[in-house]
Amino acid sequence: MFWSAEILIVVAIIWVCTKNKLFLFTNWCLFSTIFIPLLLAGILFYMLNPIVNLITKIKFGKRHRVSRTWATTLVFLLLIGIIVLIATVFIPKIVDQLVTLANQIPGAVNDGQKLLEKVFKQMNSQTYLKQIDFTQVTDKFSKNISGYMNTIFSGLTNGIGGIISAAANVVIIAVTVPVVLFYMLKDGYRLAPTLKKVLPEKHQDQTMELLSEMSHTISKYISGQMIECLFVGTFTAIGYLIIGTPYALLLGVVAGICNIIPYLGPYIGIAPALIVSFSHGGFWGVVYNIIVVLIVQQIDGNLVYPNVIGKSLEIHPLTIIIILLAAGNIAGLMGMILAIPLYAVVKVVVVHLYNIYQLE
């Protein structure tokens, strides 16, 4: 009866809060303001912490080692150098290709309309299809495309306030993430001993072992995903350059980013490349693009992924697909990105607790 009453009270509180729009808005702003910088800083922490640990092991002299503060500073300088290199070399080219592609969209739509009209005329020449008025179909297609384009442009015009707000959030994140990351790299190693002192002596070793397994799982997944996305993006762009696909750098970046989503990412990433290659190279351009993506994905699936991420997650592909479908429906793109590592951590916790239960 006690637990039934507790559950009913919690559900009632949640229901009342969901009815209060101001409460939801305030807590969502607070959550997004704190969660996003911590999430980004945490991802960068798991990527850079092994480098900091490696630098702290370097000796100079007989007894002295590089302090963690200096190691963190050196890693920060290296990260800033990489960001400056990307901002000065790659970002301008990507923006230029993006602007050029946006300017060519109306021409590509007209080419697609002409191609459809040509196909429909050939189909209309067949005796069994003469009863269908394909002119109405092409006119309807043109009106729909024009309506979609007008909707997009009007949405962009009306969303100027949202763009300004998003830019302000980006500035806030750009300022807070480096500060949070610096202290996480500098003092993160102190968290485990401090937490161990707070825990009951009976469960100290078990809890610290569980936290170590969770940290190892997250670290291996995040580092592996970054390496895998970098590999896919780089070699996809190189492959597109070899076969002469326009906007190869931009399409390679899209393929690398989409590869964050397991299994479904490659299919999402190839879609823009197929559209561009079909409008410029026709049927054979599409075939060459598919061949490039297949080669890169085969190398990634058979060499990069097993060696970088390996079997540490131990999640069946069907389970991953079901998790992605559910997470995408609940939380959209962010849910699809975070669902697999979250599931892996929960699985580690459940398996660890089950093993403790069996031992006891």
Side-chain angles (χ1 to χ4, degrees), residues 209-282:
E209 183 183 354
L210 174 60
L211 292 176
S212 177
E213 290 180 11
M214 291 168 57
S215 178
H216 177 72
T217 300
I218 296 173
S219 176
K220 197 169 183 63
Y221 181 81
I222 291 176
S223 302
Q225 279 295 108
M226 293 300 107
I227 294 172
E228 191 187 14
C229 291
L230 183 62
F231 170 83
V232 171
T234 302
F235 283 89
T236 302
I238 292 172
Y240 288 161
L241 284 172
I242 292 173
I243 64 175
T245 302
Y247 319 111
L249 182 60
L250 176 62
L251 296 174
V253 170
V254 172
I257 294 174
C258 291
N259 204 72
I260 295 175
I261 305 174
Y263 291 97
L264 301 179
Y267 301 102
I268 300 172
I270 196 178
L274 292 179
I275 296 171
V276 171
S277 60
F278 181 76
S279 62
H280 287 82

Side-chain angles (χ1 to χ4, degrees), residues 49 59 73 89 143 153 192 252 272 292 332 341 352 358:
N49 192 50
K59 290 184 178 180
T73 305
V89 176
K143 292 179 181 178
F153 287 124
V292 167
H352 188 82
Q358 283 188 320

Side-chain angles (χ1 to χ4, degrees), residues 7-20 23-24:
I7 293 171
L8 288 174
I9 291 171
V10 171
V11 171
I13 292 172
I14 294 173
W15 182 80
V16 171
C17 291
T18 56
K19 296 300 180 181
N20 190 337
F23 175 85
L24 284 176

Side-chain angles (χ1 to χ4, degrees), residues 220 224-225 227-228 231 296-313:
K220 197 169 183 63
Q225 279 295 108
I227 294 172
E228 191 187 14
F231 170 83
V296 172
Q297 289 298 325
Q298 285 298 314
I299 296 173
D300 173 56
N302 293 296
L303 293 177
V304 179
Y305 188 88
N307 292 310
V308 174
I309 299 179
K311 303 293 184 181
S312 61
L313 299 183

